[in-house]
Amino acid sequence: LEEADSFAHRIVLIAGGHIVADGPTEQIRAHAMGRTITAELDDPASLEQLIALTGVSDASLEDGRVQVSVSMEHSDTVALTMLQQMGARQLEIISGSLETAFVTLTTEPSGENR
């Protein structure tokens, strides 16, 4: 999967004989995992404000940086809000690994394959 993540232009994931994902690698990772935004904020109390934003599923403070889990569709809006309204610095937006997306998309919550 590491090589596919590095070199493939398109990924097709099959589970239980059915296509569960088909598209560019970045899209597969982001769709399955959402995105994580990390940044330095002037006011760590902004966590409550972040959690209230549409698309945010979690926000925490780790090693002096805020870490926000957000859906792919809302990551740009959340990042812009952090920059413009919360004084965010050193902002990064990342998607999960292809391996994690593979496990998420091909495994039922009970741990059985689809």
Side-chain angles (χ1 to χ4, degrees):
L1 287 176
E2 187 176 323
E3 289 177 355
D5 197 10
S6 297
F7 299 110
H9 297 286
R10 177 178 170 211
I11 300 288
V12 178
L13 296 178
I14 299 173
H18 301 283
I19 295 174
V20 294
D22 180 0
T25 306
E26 175 65 25
Q27 180 184 8
I28 301 295
R29 290 192 327 240
H31 179 71
M33 305 304 303
R35 292 193 170 125
T36 301
I37 302 173
T38 60
E40 295 174 5
L41 289 181
D42 290 332
D43 184 9
S46 299
L47 284 177
E48 290 180 26
Q49 186 180 356
L50 283 169
I51 291 172
L53 294 175
T54 301
V56 173
S57 59
D58 188 37
S60 62
L61 185 62
E62 240 177 73
D63 299 326
R65 291 181 63 83
V66 171
Q67 184 170 322
V68 182
S69 299
V70 62
S71 65
M72 178 183 75
E73 299 83 18
H74 296 97
S75 61
D76 292 342
T77 303
V78 171
L80 189 59
T81 299
M82 291 173 71
L83 289 167
Q84 291 181 336
Q85 298 176 16
M86 299 177 182
R89 299 175 312 283
Q90 305 285 329
L91 187 133
E92 293 180 87
I93 303 174
I94 57 171
S95 297
S97 71
L98 184 59
E99 182 176 351
T100 305
F102 172 80
V103 171
T104 300
L105 291 168
T106 60
T107 305
E108 288 285 325
S110 66
E112 297 177 20
N113 283 349
R114 294 180 185 191

